[in-house]
Structures are given as C-alpha cells and as structure tokens.
Amino acid sequence: MRFLFIISKQEVPRPMYTEKVWRQYTRSAQVLPNMPSAYLAAWLEKEGFEVRIIDAFAERLSVEETARRAKEFNPVAVGYNLITENFLDTLPWIKEIKKFTGIPVIVGGLHMSLYPRETMTHPEIDYGVTGEGWRTLPEMIRVVAAGGDPSTVRGICYRAEGEFRATEPRPDTLTLEDVPFPARHLLPNDRYTTVMSREWPITVMVSALGCPFRCAYCDVPADRYQARSADHVVAEMEECVKRFGIREIWFQDESFTIDGKRVGEICETLLSRGLKVAWSIRTRPDLVDRETLKLMKRAGLMKVHLGVESGSPEVLKRLNRPTDLEVVRRAVRWSREEGVTTLGFYMIGLPGETAEDVRRTIKLALELDCDYIQVNKFVPCPPSPIYRELVEESGIDYWAEYTRGDASIIEKLAGKGSSFSPAELDEWQGKFFRAYYYRPSYVWNRLKRVSSFREFKNLALSAASLR
Ligand code: B12
Ligand code: SF4
C-alpha cells in the first residue's frame, strides 16, 4: 500500500520579515528537511507501507511537476505536515495537486490540534489527524484504501453530509525513542542548506521536543517536554554521518541545554565513539555555562543560537524572560572564547515596546557582536499566553480566520501591542539588519572566514536582500 508525503514550497511566514528578506530567505537562506514527514515515513515503512516523500521546495519543483509525480506514484493518499503560520501558502498546492490527481488528502501537525474545524472548511482536505500520528495514520490509510468508515478511526476529523466531524481523541502513546529514525533515505539530503552552513550536506535533528518554560510570547506548548537519551541521539547522529554522509547537524530543540547532565552524556558519547560531525544548537543565554560549552565544543559544537530577544529589561519582564543582560553578555563572551560561532535571535514590535526599547536592543546587539543575528517582527501566535489574551480582548481569533482563508488579517498582527505601525516595523527591521550587517568591520571579519564559494554566494545574496 502506497503513501506519499508532499512538502510544498516552505515559505517563511511573511509578517515576520520584510518582503525582500522573506524572498531571499525562501530562496537560499534556509532549505531544511521536514522532520515530521520524515519521521512518519520511517514509521509507515516499518508498518509495511511503500512510502515516498516529494520535497518540492528543496527540489524546486513546480506544483504541476509535483502533481505529475504524485499521479505517477499513485498512492492511496497524500499527506501534508501543516504549519499554522504558512497554511495558506500550502493550501494552493493541496488544491492543485488534488485537482490534478484526485488522490485523497490527509493532513496533520500541531496546526490540526489548534484549528481542526477551520482547516476542514477547505473541501480539498479529506481527513485531518489531530494529536499523534503514529497509530492514527496507518489506520487511516487502511480505511481510505478499503473505502471504510472514517468514524471508526480515533484522533481524526473529516466531513460527512457537509458537516464537520471529529472522532474521539487518541491518547499519546509513543515517544521518539519508540519509533525509527527519520527516513532520510527518502529525502534529497544534498539539497538542504542554510546561509550559515559551512559544511554540506546538512540535516536537522531533534534531541528533545517541547520546552518546560513559559515565556509569554512563545507558541511552544508548555506541557510536552520529551527528551531522548544520549545513546539514542548519538546513534542517529552516527547514522547521519555514516549512512548519509552528513557533515553538519542542526539541532532544532527549543533549548538544547535544559538538562546539563544529558548534554554532558551526549558529548561524552560522541567523544568516546570518535564521531566527527559539526553541530549547532538553540538555547537560552541563562542555560549556558562555561564548562558545558567547553565540552560541547570538544564534541563538535560549531554554533549556538541564543534567544536574546530584547535589550530592554522591562520588555523582557513582560515576556516572562530573565531580565539580567549580564547573563546574556556572559553567554556570548564564553561562546566566543570557546571558539563557538554565535547567532543572536532578536524580536521587534513586542508588547509595550517603544522606539527607545528598539534602540536599546540594537545597541545591545552591536555590543554583543554575535557572528550572525536574526531579527523577527513579533507576531503573536497560538497557543502563547500573549495570543490568548489578544483573542480574549479583541474577540478575534486571527489565526482561525487566517486558516479559513483570510490571509490579509495576519498583516495586522505584526507588532500588535507595540507602539509601531506595520510600516514602521518594516523600517525598524531593515534599519536593524543594516546597522548590523553593513558595518565595515563586520563585512571584513565575515569575509575573512568564508571557506567556500557556496558560502560566499549565500552570504552575498543575503546581504543584497537587506538593501
Ligand atoms: C524541526 C522543526 C523545524 C525545522 C524543520 C522543519 C520541520 N517542520 O520539521 C525547521 C527549522 C526548518 C523549522 C522551521 C519552522 N518551524 Co518548526 N519545528 C520543528 C520542531 C522543533 C520539530 C518537528 C519534529 O520533528 N517533530 C517530530 C514529529 C514526529 O512530531 P510532530 O511534529 O509533533 O508530529 C506528530 C503529529 O503532529 C502528527 N503529524 C505531524 N505531521 C503530520 C502529517 C500528517 C499527514 C499526519 C497524518 C500527521 C502528522 O504525527 C506526528 C507523530 O505523532 C517542531 C516542534 C515540535 N515539538 O514538534 C517545530 C514546529 C513544527 N515549527 C513551528 C514553526 C512555527 C516553524 C516556522 C514557521 C518557524 C519560523 N518562524 O520560521 C518554520 C516553518 C518552516 C516550515 N514550513 O516547515 C511550529 C509550528 C506551530 C504550528 N502551530 O503549526 C512548531 C510546532 C514549534 C512550536 N511552536 O511548537 N521547524
Ligand atoms: S521562548 Fe524558548 S525558552 Fe521560552 S518557552 Fe518558548 S521555547 Fe521555551
């Protein structure tokens, strides 16, 4: 029995970037594998299905070519991993491919748990899986293949007689240690890249899902922290290197260093097995200590992405983030001293934020002088506390309306609660990037470290997009 995952053009949510930065971003700054599809593909193969993944974004396929390939493969159904923030970019692909092939569509992802009813208003989508897909997806495919009754499958939604129907939820049962490693043999691994990569091919991994903290702006559900053991993580790293020739791994854990003991075990295991691979992590500055940094560096850590967010302690307080900027300075300094590349994440347009606050953030960014920065316009997203408050106050669930089809409503969300209009925010974002990346000292230092033409080309394109 055949099943196909399609990864459509992976757009970066537009309200967070200016149009130019967004275009560049989707062109070359970041093309990464879709992990939920790769995980589920491996699971389905284990269950005896014949599975394919078409990564149309990475392979730069048109929707027509993707539809043609889908028809040729002729699966029982086609699956899409949905992301709330770009659902309306994925929807035209779902529509076109459904129109051309007529193959039933099954969708899943956190988005389906947040907005099942709104998603199912689109008639091209036949079934939605809410919650975990491990048990539900194989069962759903078998029911579709047999023309059976979907109401017998727990954890799904569908339409019957034009009405929205949801079956009884299915409790979560499996962790990432109970399932096979992602099916990278089905992915175009040599196509993945980011503007900051030095080694190719690269891949993404998650050593833990979720985050136990509760920052007010954060859209990561707080109740789902799930960490894999060091042995399990390193075994996947080893598979990446030995089977797929991968040379750089991007850990996408929300905060890799939450559990110092586990991080230590990962590093010791890597060192004892002599596994040579470059890797990078994301974390909070207050979760960085010098000893762990030193050890991570020895075990291959190349880059740390630090969530600095703002240079204003008042703004940080409202976000329920640590407010001591000394801790941030220390984390960046230690990383630099240990030879680890740094990327600082910043946001502008935060609740209550004024021009003075943004100036403080830019000043801090220049002082920290990370190797890279990423500046996003703040866009409230579900299920964050700030978004929930906004919905309560305004009576509008913006992302629900967006999911129903109103793309423009989201434009109003960028910088909501700050003192900036969307146009002003665009200006600040451009100003921030230019103040940072166009410094002659920055350009010179960066160019000195370029190690390949590919890296140079990516950097040049990104720099041009900031003009
Ligand atoms: C790795 C990762 C990335 C990587 C790789 C892309 C990817 N999607 O894997 C990168 C860095 C590229 C990335 C980018 C982004 N990401 Co991301 N990412 C993740 C992360 C950390 C892990 C995903 C993963 O591997 N999960 C493991 C799988 C097995 O678990 P799962 O995703 O929960 O899937 C289960 C079910 O949801 C279901 N399921 C999932 N998909 C499908 C599909 C079908 C057909 C079915 C039936 C079931 C099903 O079954 C799975 C098994 O039970 C998640 C956080 C998380 N905890 O999941 C965020 C997450 C998916 N990302 C998120 C976001 C917002 C983004 C960005 C928009 C960020 C940005 N501002 O640019 C971009 C969008 C890019 C894109 N189009 O994918 C959000 C999505 C929120 C939402 N409401 O949809 C998440 C959930 C983080 C969060 N807020 O909690 N991301
Ligand atoms: S912002 Fe980062 S640290 Fe805060 S809750 Fe979200 S994932 Fe966790």
Side-chain angles (χ1 to χ4, degrees):
M1 220 176 275
R2 292 180 173 177
F3 189 77
L4 171 67
F5 288 94
I6 292 182
I7 297 145
S8 64
K9 235 172 122 185
Q10 263 185 48
E11 317 268 5
V12 171
R14 266 164 273 194
M16 295 170 190
Y17 302 92
T18 62
E19 191 67 19
K20 264 188 167 178
V21 171
W22 166 75
R23 254 189 271 125
Q24 166 54 17
Y25 208 92
T26 52
R27 206 183 311 135
S28 70
Q30 181 165 300
V31 184
L32 292 170
N34 182 281
M35 298 313 284
S37 302
Y39 261 116
L40 285 166
W43 176 252
L44 288 180
E45 281 192 332
K46 185 172 164 274
E47 294 276 301
F49 291 85
E50 187 185 342
V51 192
R52 239 179 238 181
I53 300 175
I54 301 182
D55 191 337
F57 178 53
E59 295 197 55
R60 298 184 178 223
L61 301 181
S62 64
V63 66
E64 293 78 16
E65 174 59 15
T66 309
R68 198 193 58 71
R69 291 189 190 186
K71 196 168 185 174
E72 196 179 279
F73 182 54
N74 194 24
V76 171
V78 175
Y80 296 84
N81 164 247
L82 297 182
I83 300 263
T84 303
E85 283 86 333
N86 55 30
F87 172 67
L88 287 185
D89 292 315
T90 309
L91 188 62
W93 282 66
I94 299 179
K95 284 186 179 173
E96 271 307 301
I97 294 166
K98 178 76 179 288
K99 199 165 101 191
F100 184 76
T101 63
I103 301 168
V105 171
I106 306 179
V107 295
L110 177 62
H111 174 75
M112 281 315 290
S113 304
L114 295 171
Y115 294 117
R117 194 173 280 274
E118 293 77 8
T119 310
M120 295 308 295
T121 56
H122 301 284
E124 302 75 19
I125 298 175
D126 299 286
Y127 308 101
V129 169
T130 48
E132 262 188 30
W134 309 120
R135 306 271 186 225
T136 314
L137 182 57
E139 203 177 314
M140 189 69 242
I141 301 170
R142 290 192 185 102
V143 166
V144 175
D149 177 5
S151 70
T152 59
V153 183
R154 280 191 299 164
I156 66 150
C157 48
Y158 61 102
R159 278 177 310 273
E161 292 148 7
E163 297 282 317
F164 171 80
R165 301 276 163 85
T167 61
E168 192 194 327
R170 189 187 294 259
D172 291 354
T173 49
L174 299 176
T175 71
L176 292 185
E177 296 209 15
D178 302 317
V179 300
F181 297 146
R184 291 190 174 83
H185 57 284
L186 301 179
L187 294 172
N189 294 305
D190 55 344
R191 295 270 179 165
Y192 299 119
T193 184
T194 80
V195 71
M196 286 165 281
S197 302
R198 281 199 216 139
E199 308 276 355
W200 288 275
I202 75 166
T203 195
V204 166
M205 258 181 75
V206 276
S207 88
L209 290 175
C211 175
F213 296 105
R214 288 173 191 268
C215 304
Y217 62 97
C218 182
D219 60 351
V220 174
D223 53 341
R224 296 196 190 156
Y225 184 64
Q226 187 197 107
R228 298 162 60 194
S229 69
D231 273 344
H232 201 256
V233 173
V234 176
E236 185 180 339
M237 294 174 86
E238 198 156 16
E239 181 183 84
C240 287
V241 175
K242 296 194 172 151
R243 184 168 168 205
F244 301 108
I246 281 159
R247 297 176 59 197
E248 186 175 315
I249 296 173
W250 272 46
F251 281 101
Q252 288 295 325
D253 307 30
E254 311 298 346
S255 291
F256 188 84
T257 52
I258 286 174
D259 178 352
K261 185 168 165 280
R262 192 185 71 110
V263 173
E265 286 164 6
I266 292 176
C267 295
E268 297 295 356
T269 314
L270 279 171
L271 289 166
S272 67
R273 294 198 194 166
L275 193 66
K276 295 254 176 299
V277 60
W279 44 283
S280 59
I281 59 165
R282 303 193 291 178
T283 195
R284 286 166 43 139
D286 60 318
L287 296 178
V288 169
D289 72 78
R290 189 152 198 166
E291 285 317 302
T292 312
L293 264 174
K294 217 186 259 299
L295 181 60
M296 289 194 293
K297 172 69 187 174
R298 267 182 47 225
L301 178 69
M302 179 190 72
K303 181 164 31 67
V304 57
H305 298 210
L306 292 164
V308 181
E309 317 302 10
S310 170
S312 155
E314 296 78 47
V315 171
L316 288 168
K317 189 158 182 243
R318 277 195 292 275
L319 300 181
N320 199 22
R321 297 279 294 188
T323 53
D324 186 354
L325 297 178
E326 267 320 301
V327 171
V328 179
R329 291 187 178 99
R330 212 176 54 188
V332 175
R333 196 179 62 241
W334 284 343
S335 305
R336 186 174 298 123
E337 285 169 6
E338 295 304 330
V340 176
T341 302
T342 50
L343 176 141
F345 279 122
Y346 297 92
M347 281 192 291
I348 54 169
L350 290 157
E353 197 177 52
T354 61
E356 188 43 39
D357 291 319
V358 179
R359 278 189 208 102
R360 285 160 86 180
T361 305
I362 298 179
K363 191 162 167 255
L364 178 69
L366 292 171
E367 181 200 326
L368 295 176
D369 199 19
C370 290
D371 298 283
Y372 302 93
I373 59 161
Q374 178 60 52
V375 183
N376 285 352
K377 290 185 272 176
F378 172 62
V379 177
C381 288
S384 69
I386 288 182
Y387 184 73
R388 281 204 306 268
E389 271 167 37
L390 176 67
V391 173
E392 258 167 47
E393 274 164 25
S394 64
I396 306 168
D397 188 339
Y398 292 81
W399 287 105
E401 294 313 313
Y402 167 87
T403 302
R404 284 182 200 279
D406 182 357
S408 65
I409 195 164
I410 293 312
E411 300 300 326
K412 297 178 196 144
L413 269 184
K416 196 93 185 155
S418 71
S419 57
F420 307 111
S421 68
E424 284 169 336
L425 262 191
D426 262 10
E427 255 173 58
W428 273 113
Q429 193 179 31
K431 236 189 239 177
F432 200 145
F433 273 126
R434 286 190 299 273
Y436 200 85
Y437 284 122
Y438 284 5
R439 284 173 296 160
S441 59
Y442 179 85
V443 175
W444 175 238
N445 283 329
R446 191 66 202 82
L447 282 177
K448 273 197 304 198
R449 281 180 287 122
V450 167
S451 58
S452 69
F453 178 69
R454 189 169 178 171
E455 190 183 357
F456 175 76
K457 196 179 113 195
N458 270 351
L459 285 170
L461 281 169
S462 300
S465 74
L466 303 178
R467 262 181 293 127

